[in-house]
């Protein structure tokens, strides 16, 4: 018998596996290699909600939990995952500047928001009123993380590459059995596709929110900071930039769309005034909840079934915190924050 089965290998699954390894638990991961949200996400880590110019939910605490996790994974996997870069938010009108000054003096914002408006020195960017600067931010290469952690698990013979079939799970009083695996606990972290077909957590109102990203190339732009206009523009090196992401709650079809491409181009054209060309476009589905918070907890009847899901667009920051909170609840009985608890959804 092993300690855990983990179903799903996106950011939540990897973060939970990291906790298990840190505490020397035995485990096996079941995953079909279709973690679309983790592969197409922007990877941003940023504790400020820039659209509303205010602290994101638990932003500072999430930063202090999550970044050490990715640093440890960098060392463990021997790859570079964390890319530091300031975020420059374009000031479109004087009211934006006033909002920036007011927010930058708040306790949760002060460590990150530069109170002084930065003048634009890049002729390729449209920012006549300058930028608000967020420091200690950047992006995590989530696609590389998924690929490298998958390879790592294969080398340790801890990965079953298959689609999890809920009907094949046998639940006993003190353990679960799946195929020839017997475990004390099973944790579901497989994102929106898997949870929709999960009969044990059907009370969770998970939504599929489609997001699309583009990679563009521009040799004339020469920008090293992350630019926030209508969308984010993230420098990847070699004159390439990641642009996104869109949000679509209605489109449930896989694959990228011309509509999203046009929208991203329109936003980009408002942000820059130099030539560029589109290199690629990708699409994926984020698991989101109506209150935009994650969900973690154990099944009310079967305490050896647990869930860690619904990370949405802030999965980079939320996944390590949620994974540690769930682990501490299962192993130590530590309380789960009420805002993200499974108990807020009643059958």
């Amino acid at each position: 018998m092993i300690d855990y089965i983990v179903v799903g290998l996106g950011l939540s699954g990897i973060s939970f596996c990291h906790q298990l390894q840190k505490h020397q638990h035995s485990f096996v991961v079941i995953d079909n290699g279709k973690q679309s949200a983790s592969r197409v996400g922007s990877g941003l880590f940023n504790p400020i909600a820039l659209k509303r110019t205010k602290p994101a939910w638990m932003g500072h605490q999430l930063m202090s939990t999550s970044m050490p996790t990715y640093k440890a994974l960098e060392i463990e996997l021997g790859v570079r995952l964390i890319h530091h870069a300031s975020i420059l938010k374009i000031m479109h009108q004087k009211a934006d500047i006033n909002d920036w000054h007011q927010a930058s003096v708040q306790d949760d914002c002060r460590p990150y928001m530069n109170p002084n408006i930065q003048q634009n020195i890049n002729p390729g960017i449209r920012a006549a009123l300058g930028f608000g600067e967020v420091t200690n931010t950047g992006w995590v290469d989530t696609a590389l993380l998924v690929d490298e952690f998958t390879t790592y698990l294969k080398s340790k013979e801890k990965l079953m590459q298959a689609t999890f079939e809920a009907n094949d799970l046998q639940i006993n009083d003190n353990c679960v059995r799946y195929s020839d695996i017997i475990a004390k606990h099973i944790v579901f972290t497989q994102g929106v596709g898997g949870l929709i077909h999960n009969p044990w957590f059907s009370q969770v109102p998970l939504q599929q929110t489609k997001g699309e990203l583009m990679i563009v190339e521009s040799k004339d732009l020469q920008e090293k900071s992350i630019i926030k206009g209508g969308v984010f523009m993230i420098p990847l090196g070699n004159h390439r930039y990641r642009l996104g992401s869109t949000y679509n709650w209605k489109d449930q079809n896989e694959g990228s769309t011309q509509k999203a491409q046009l929208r991203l181009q329109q936003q980009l054209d408002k942000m820059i005034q130099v030539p560029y060309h589109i290199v690629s476009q990708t699409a994926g589905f984020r698991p989101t909840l109506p209150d935009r918070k994650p969900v973690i907890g154990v099944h009310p009847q079967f305490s050896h079934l647990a869930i860690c899901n619904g990370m949405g667009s802030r999965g980079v920051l939320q996944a390590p915190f949620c994974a540690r909170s769930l682990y501490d609840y299962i192993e130590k009985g530590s309380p789960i924050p009420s805002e993200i608890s499974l108990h807020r959804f009643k059958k």
Side-chain angles (χ1 to χ4, degrees):
M1 181 187 295
I2 62 172
D3 295 326
Y4 283 86
I5 297 172
V6 178
V7 185
L9 198 58
L11 291 179
S12 296
I14 291 171
S15 298
F16 197 81
C17 289
H18 177 70
Q19 290 295 320
L20 297 180
Q21 289 182 313
K22 191 162 69 170
H23 295 94
Q24 298 181 323
H25 288 285
S26 55
F27 67 94
V28 168
V29 176
I30 303 171
D31 182 74
N32 61 8
K34 296 181 180 179
Q35 286 291 338
S36 65
S38 299
R39 290 185 182 277
V40 302
S42 66
L44 279 176
F45 57 91
N46 165 33
I48 308 299
L50 288 173
K51 189 175 182 179
R52 300 179 298 280
T53 318
K54 68 176 189 178
W57 173 76
M58 284 184 63
H60 184 65
Q61 186 175 351
L62 294 178
M63 286 282 285
S64 63
T65 301
S66 300
M67 299 325 296
T69 297
Y70 295 117
K71 193 64 188 175
L73 285 165
E74 277 189 327
I75 295 169
E76 186 177 309
L77 299 172
V79 295
R80 184 186 179 192
L81 300 171
I82 303 169
H83 299 261
H84 294 281
S86 294
I87 298 173
L88 300 179
K89 180 184 178 182
I90 297 173
M91 299 287 103
H92 294 290
Q93 52 193 351
K94 290 185 178 179
D96 294 338
I97 297 175
N98 292 333
D99 290 344
W100 191 267
H101 288 317
Q102 290 178 14
S104 66
V105 298
Q106 296 182 32
D107 289 343
D108 289 344
C109 294
R110 196 179 295 119
Y112 306 99
M113 291 177 67
N114 186 338
N116 302 312
I117 299 301
Q118 306 299 300
Q119 295 307 304
N120 177 28
I121 59 173
N122 188 334
I125 297 176
R126 304 178 192 270
L129 296 179
F131 305 102
E133 181 186 24
V134 188
T135 59
N136 301 314
T137 54
W139 60 282
V140 172
D141 193 333
T142 55
L144 179 63
L145 172 57
V146 171
D147 289 341
E148 292 294 325
F149 204 81
T150 299
T151 301
Y152 169 78
L153 289 179
K154 285 180 184 176
S155 72
K156 299 293 183 180
E157 298 184 339
K158 291 185 176 182
L159 179 64
M160 177 190 291
Q161 290 185 291
T163 298
F164 178 81
E165 300 291 345
N167 292 335
D168 293 340
L169 183 68
Q170 300 174 30
I171 304 172
N172 301 314
D173 290 340
N174 298 310
C175 65
V176 296
R177 177 191 287 270
Y178 187 83
S179 185
D180 58 351
I181 306 168
I182 301 174
K184 297 175 186 175
H185 304 276
I186 183 167
V187 180
F188 296 99
T189 67
Q190 76 268 52
V192 65
L195 194 61
I196 286 174
H197 303 292
N198 187 317
W200 302 287
F201 296 100
S202 57
Q203 74 271 34
V204 179
L206 203 66
Q207 301 169 326
Q208 250 190 184
T209 305
K210 189 172 184 178
E212 300 193 46
L213 297 165
M214 286 196 322
I215 305 293
V216 300
E217 185 173 293
S218 174
K219 293 185 178 179
D220 298 325
L221 191 54
Q222 299 290 325
E223 181 57 54
K224 293 183 178 180
S225 296
I226 298 167
I227 306 298
K228 174 66 168 78
V231 290
F232 282 97
M233 185 179 70
I234 303 170
L236 303 177
N238 297 319
H239 307 295
R240 292 190 173 188
Y241 303 84
R242 180 181 291 124
L243 191 72
S245 172
T246 62
Y247 293 82
N248 193 321
W249 290 268
K250 295 179 180 179
D251 184 2
Q252 301 296 298
N253 298 309
E254 294 186 7
S256 55
T257 62
Q258 184 74 18
K259 183 177 180 181
Q261 178 183 314
L262 290 173
R263 184 181 182 282
L264 290 170
Q265 283 187 271
Q266 288 170 356
Q267 294 292 340
L268 182 59
D269 291 340
K270 292 177 183 178
M271 295 166 62
I272 69 173
Q273 49 191 359
V274 290
Y276 65 88
H277 74 268
I278 298 170
V279 176
S280 63
Q281 183 178 347
T282 52
F285 293 99
R286 306 178 190 90
T288 59
L289 291 156
D291 59 6
R292 299 189 177 186
K293 300 285 195 307
V295 56
I296 64 173
V298 301
H299 191 277
Q301 182 181 352
F302 306 113
S303 60
H304 35 308
L305 274 64
I307 184 175
C308 183
N309 213 312
M311 300 300 141
S313 61
R314 290 189 173 268
V316 165
L317 283 183
Q318 292 179 342
F321 173 80
C322 289
R324 191 178 79 175
S325 297
L326 180 59
Y327 175 85
D328 287 347
Y329 176 76
I330 294 171
E331 294 291 338
K332 305 174 186 177
S334 303
I336 291 173
S338 58
E339 306 101 304
I340 59 175
S341 172
L342 173 67
H343 295 312
R344 73 187 193 271
F345 303 115
K346 304 296 183 183
K347 277 203 172 185

